[in-house]
Amino acid sequence: MKDLENKDEFRRQLITNLVVNQAHGVDTATDHDWWEALCQTVRGAMMQRACEVGSIHRAENVKRVYYLSLEYLMGRLLENNLSSMNVLTTCREVLAEYGKDLNELLDQGPDLGLGNGGLGRLAACFMDSLATLDLPAVGYGINYEFGLFRQAFHNGKQLESPDEWRRFGNPWEICRPEYALDVPLYGYVEMEFDELGNGRSVWKGTRSIMGVPWDIPIVGYEGTTVNFLRLWESKASQDFDLDIFNAGGYVDAVREKAESESISKVLYPNDTTEAGKELRLVQQYFFVTCSLRDIMKRHRRSNDSWTNLPEKAAIQLNDTHPAIAVAELMRLLIDEEELSWDAAWSICEQTFAYTNHTLLPEALEKWSVPLFEKVLPRHLQIIFQINQQFLENVVEAKWPGNDARKSELSLIEEGFPQMIRMAYLAVVGSHTVNGVAALHTQLLKRHLFRSFDELYPGKIQNKTNGITPRRWLRVCNPSLSSLIDEKIGSDWPRDLDRLRSLEQFADDPGFQEQFLAIKRENKVKLAAMIAEKCGITVSPDALFDVQIKRLHEYKRQHLNLLHILTQYRRLLQNPDLDIVPRVYVFGAKAAPGYALAKEIIHAINAVGKVINEDERIQGKLKVAFLPNYCVSMAETIIPAADISEQISTAGKEASGTGNMKLALNGALTIGTLDGANVEIGEEVGDDNIFIFGLTVEEVEALQEKGYNSYDHYWDDEELKAVMDWLCSNSFAEKGSFESVRHSLLDGGDPYLVLADYRSYVQAQERVDLLYRNRAAWAKSAILNTARVGKFSSDRTIREYAEQIWNVPPIRA
């Protein structure tokens, strides 16, 4: 990998790839050809190092981390890989010799469509940190053909279309057909008896689908370790029935192929239908069984027994999507490897760990027993047996004769139909369960998993999430990164706590001006993006107020909207009102079946259109909702943000990582005491964050007492005015936002938007006041950057490795 640091060698490999792989010389190559050749050059060096590292790992029979996640929000890889390999400058210089600008070539690459929101981005940061910390690891997931969806707006409403990110191939992925596996589904279970009368359950009559692995190399910072993502693509076991085709059944001849390959088509298929639910379950099982069998094959190559699997494999379940892995590993060990139940269960308990990512009970996956019986009949048997032994041997021992506890903790929720609680399966089948922020973990123990915490003291740990500073500062904000290098040295990307040294410059007027000049430079770039994608002209001298995250009621984008309307109304009442000009920047996708979330998007766009065109307010407010929000877009938005909106209802957000990225780049947080906001506040100090709203305890007390959102509606004249205004015909046809109004009033305001409205407006007034004091704002922004070293994903992964996985680094 060091070879590429030599400019002559970089040039030689680049031009060779351009000619050999793209069939073009330097005179005829398009920008896309140059981009492909660059990716191939970098990938070649990465794969060479990956082979060296893999050889050492195999020779030493090391323990590996296996990270199972349904999504990885990787973004674009080229610039990050060049940076991690320390050849970014070399690359720019070589390209310049041919009149090529790297920044223009980077736009040739699509974002990898492998994820949706924070869960997938966290997984991507973790893969970066695992390699950087020299921890042997493989990430497992699905190689989606279309990802989530491509978002556009028509008359302010969200439209979804396929995200065809793989249409012309992906230069980073390598197909591994030699490791393809057949995946059984459906069928039935039958008892078979040997000559001694011993019976065993046999899964028969299954339909087979092929899982084909694709590998993407993941390089750590400075290139010492290269791990990989192994992503599974579904293929039909039989592509084409020629007899049916020749008989005129053209559609039927390829029906199996179409059905089989639908499994890896789209991330999170719409589950509002029974067919959608079934596809989701099949999708989860597909990637889990492929991954587990791949892990077992790797283990078998170097080990003679399954009993030491926990000593060689640490399998982390990222949320409940891969929870079926507990039942599947039991099936593989019992049915295929013929281990006893007790031996298999002991291996499972020692091998799995589970990360919970939500406090919303409705977000914890449950599957109906009839659906399980149809799709995975053998697993249904195993889950019922796990449940029986758990209740009879574990719960009964702790609480003898307590049927209420058994009902509460049962993996099976009684009802019509019965439901399988997948989170409970993950808890019971894992040696460790972790939350993702201190508050989140406290609430898990207090509410969601309270009885499990009593049953298994110490099993539930906290591992506060983190972000990789390589992508989220060094790459996405090169000017600030260079300023930091100049002031404190360049070793901070490996040790983010080194940023504390910036505190000494927080009161330095010269450094403040440099810091703010970089912020303005980044705002100019974002203003250009807004102009290109939204057709809106904004001033880089305005305060940039940013809310970028998945659209969900609990994240409360509609609370932000009510404040925008409040400011707009005040300006119309007094056009000369002295406020800090603001640009409100939104980025969010709503799930296709989530009607209320899509209505909130429409409302923000409709209000924004009116505000942006209203000359009476003299450009003091602008609203930009950027379509098709993604990682590469975030890399432009985050460095430009002045205010970071983290305004979820207290007790609803598990952690958040956007809050960390924005604070690292010098944005001040306005937020509730929710998720990781609590810990960010502890780190940056009360003077450098804007906290508002009800606390978790106050939320619980209010809900227990009985909450009536109409009380706030009638008692707060300004709130009533803006809500009535939103639902009039001033912004869209009357009734367009009736679902929003219903949710906030007659629907009971489940996320307490109206309860927190006045506190939020007052906090925004404090933001306005501080922003007018340039030096004070600069100091707070600098201290945010300086004090968030705790939130490096390296710290998080180091804690997992030492306290959960027991996996040491291997410096190859």
Side-chain angles (χ1 to χ4, degrees), residues 389-405:
Q389 299 216 359
F390 167 63
L391 296 178
E392 292 179 357
N393 299 338
V394 182
V395 180
E396 176 65 20
K398 176 74 172 178
W399 296 292
N402 192 329
D403 290 339
R405 288 281 194 173

Side-chain angles (χ1 to χ4, degrees), residues 212-323:
V212 179
W214 295 76
D215 289 352
I216 296 178
I218 306 294
V219 63
Y221 186 60
E222 296 178 332
T224 56
T225 292
V226 179
N227 291 321
F228 62 92
L229 268 180
R230 177 155 287 179
L231 304 170
W232 299 96
E233 181 179 23
S234 61
K235 292 286 187 181
S237 298
Q238 179 181 341
D239 279 352
F240 188 72
D241 191 317
L242 186 59
D243 290 338
I244 293 177
F245 185 87
N246 287 336
Y250 307 124
V251 174
D252 289 340
V254 294
R255 186 181 304 280
E256 181 184 343
K257 174 180 170 66
E259 290 177 352
S260 298
E261 296 181 0
S262 67
I263 294 170
S264 58
K265 286 286 185 190
V266 178
L267 170 66
Y268 299 141
N270 189 341
D271 62 355
T272 57
T273 65
E274 289 305 311
K277 289 183 174 69
E278 182 175 326
L279 180 56
R280 278 212 188 188
L281 178 57
V282 169
Q283 193 178 67
Q284 291 175 14
Y285 175 68
F286 165 77
F287 107 87
V288 161
T289 188
C290 288
S291 303
L292 288 179
R293 287 157 66 192
D294 197 60
I295 291 167
M296 292 174 73
K297 184 188 298 182
R298 189 175 296 109
H299 179 79
R300 214 34 160 165
R301 283 201 295 260
S302 304
N303 301 274
D304 298 326
S305 169
W306 295 115
T307 57
N308 71 334
L309 181 64
E311 298 167 24
K312 299 299 177 183
I315 303 178
Q316 188 70 33
L317 306 177
N318 190 30
D319 216 1
T320 53
H321 308 124

Side-chain angles (χ1 to χ4, degrees), residues 674-734:
D674 194 27
N677 293 353
V678 177
E679 292 165 78
I680 290 174
E682 292 169 353
E683 295 296 311
V684 305
D686 293 342
D687 293 339
N688 305 303
I689 190 170
F690 300 96
I691 296 297
F692 74 93
L694 299 170
T695 64
V696 168
E697 293 74 20
E698 289 167 341
V699 167
E700 292 174 355
L702 179 60
Q703 291 175 331
E704 186 174 341
K705 171 188 170 185
Y707 170 60
N708 186 347
S709 57
Y710 270 106
D711 292 341
H712 296 277
Y713 175 77
W714 291 113
D715 291 348
D716 190 323
E717 181 183 345
E718 192 169 39
L719 171 59
K720 180 181 184 301
V722 296
M723 281 200 59
D724 292 348
W725 193 22
L726 173 64
C727 296
S728 68
N729 60 0
S730 299
F731 304 103
E733 185 178 336
K734 190 174 177 61

Side-chain angles (χ1 to χ4, degrees), residues 95-107:
L95 288 172
E97 295 173 7
Y98 299 97
K100 294 296 176 182
D101 183 342
L102 176 60
N103 291 338
E104 294 180 3
L105 297 185
L106 293 174
D107 288 337

Side-chain angles (χ1 to χ4, degrees), residues 20 148 231 242 266 296 328 371 403 453 460 503 541 556 604-605 648 697 707 721 724 733 737 791:
V20 173
L148 189 65
L231 304 170
L242 186 59
V266 178
M296 292 174 73
E328 173 63 1
L371 177 59
D403 290 339
D453 190 44
I460 301 176
E503 286 188 21
D541 296 315
R556 301 202 296 190
I604 293 169
N605 277 325
S648 54
E697 293 74 20
Y707 170 60
D724 292 348
E733 185 178 336
F737 310 127
F791 303 105

Side-chain angles (χ1 to χ4, degrees), residues 45-344:
M46 290 167 65
M47 294 313 301
Q48 184 176 350
R49 182 58 183 159
C51 289
E52 295 167 358
V53 171
S55 179
I56 293 170
H57 289 173
R58 287 188 296 275
E60 297 185 11
N61 193 16
V62 301
K63 184 175 185 179
R64 291 178 173 86
V65 176
Y66 296 108
Y67 198 78
L68 271 59
S69 180
L70 201 57
E71 52 173 299
Y72 293 89
L73 200 59
M74 303 298 293
R76 295 170 176 170
L77 297 183
L78 179 56
E79 187 175 15
N80 202 70
N81 289 342
L82 288 166
S83 176
S84 290
M85 294 164 61
N86 287 323
V87 294
L88 192 57
T89 300
T90 302
C91 178
R92 289 187 187 280
E93 291 174 354
V94 169
L95 288 172
E97 295 173 7
Y98 299 97
K100 294 296 176 182
D101 183 342
L102 176 60
N103 291 338
E104 294 180 3
L105 297 185
L106 293 174
D107 288 337
Q108 294 294 313
D111 279 45
L112 275 62
L114 301 170
N116 173 28
L119 183 77
R121 188 51 237 171
L122 179 76
C125 286
F126 279 4
M127 292 304 298
D128 177 277
S129 287
L130 283 161
T132 296
L133 296 175
D134 299 310
L135 294 165
V138 180
Y140 283 108
I142 294 179
N143 202 9
Y144 301 103
E145 182 177 350
F146 296 120
L148 189 65
F149 59 83
R150 180 169 292 278
Q151 180 194 56
F153 299 133
H154 179 68
N155 293 329
K157 298 179 180 179
Q158 173 178 292
L159 295 180
E160 304 101 23
S161 61
D163 177 16
E164 299 181 275
W165 71 281
R166 292 182 68 203
R167 170 178 277 188
F168 302 113
N170 170 17
W172 300 107
E173 63 185 13
I174 302 159
C175 189
R176 303 289 198 188
E178 67 273 25
Y179 301 136
L181 297 164
D182 283 329
V183 176
L185 288 163
Y186 304 102
Y188 59 93
V189 180
E190 192 173 85
M191 288 296 294
E192 290 187 353
F193 297 90
D194 62 20
E195 62 275 7
L196 299 176
N198 298 314
R200 62 191 296 265
S201 297
V202 180
W203 192 7
K204 293 185 172 182
T206 58
R207 171 184 154 196
S208 185
I209 292 168
M210 185 185 297
V212 179
W214 295 76
D215 289 352
I216 296 178
I218 306 294
V219 63
Y221 186 60
E222 296 178 332
T224 56
T225 292
V226 179
N227 291 321
F228 62 92
L229 268 180
R230 177 155 287 179
L231 304 170
W232 299 96
E233 181 179 23
S234 61
K235 292 286 187 181
S237 298
Q238 179 181 341
D239 279 352
F240 188 72
D241 191 317
L242 186 59
D243 290 338
I244 293 177
F245 185 87
N246 287 336
Y250 307 124
V251 174
D252 289 340
V254 294
R255 186 181 304 280
E256 181 184 343
K257 174 180 170 66
E259 290 177 352
S260 298
E261 296 181 0
S262 67
I263 294 170
S264 58
K265 286 286 185 190
V266 178
L267 170 66
Y268 299 141
N270 189 341
D271 62 355
T272 57
T273 65
E274 289 305 311
K277 289 183 174 69
E278 182 175 326
L279 180 56
R280 278 212 188 188
L281 178 57
V282 169
Q283 193 178 67
Q284 291 175 14
Y285 175 68
F286 165 77
F287 107 87
V288 161
T289 188
C290 288
S291 303
L292 288 179
R293 287 157 66 192
D294 197 60
I295 291 167
M296 292 174 73
K297 184 188 298 182
R298 189 175 296 109
H299 179 79
R300 214 34 160 165
R301 283 201 295 260
S302 304
N303 301 274
D304 298 326
S305 169
W306 295 115
T307 57
N308 71 334
L309 181 64
E311 298 167 24
K312 299 299 177 183
I315 303 178
Q316 188 70 33
L317 306 177
N318 190 30
D319 216 1
T320 53
H321 308 124
I324 188 61
V326 174
E328 173 63 1
L329 185 55
M330 287 294 288
R331 184 190 73 83
L332 292 169
L333 291 174
I334 294 169
D335 293 1
E336 298 191 9
E337 301 300 328
E338 300 185 347
L339 270 66
S340 69
W341 178 276
D342 290 343

Side-chain angles (χ1 to χ4, degrees), residues 729-784:
N729 60 0
S730 299
F731 304 103
E733 185 178 336
K734 190 174 177 61
S736 296
F737 310 127
E738 190 55 40
S739 293
V740 175
R741 179 185 175 87
H742 180 271
S743 170
L744 296 177
L745 291 173
D746 297 328
D749 189 15
Y751 298 104
L752 307 180
V753 172
L754 303 195
D756 276 347
Y757 165 81
R758 182 51 55 189
S759 177
Y760 179 55
V761 170
Q762 291 167 350
Q764 289 284 19
E765 289 166 356
R766 299 200 305 273
V767 170
D768 193 286
L769 189 63
L770 184 63
Y771 195 76
R772 294 169 186 273
N773 185 332
R774 183 175 174 85
W777 185 274
K779 178 180 179 179
S780 286
I782 292 165
L783 290 175
N784 267 265

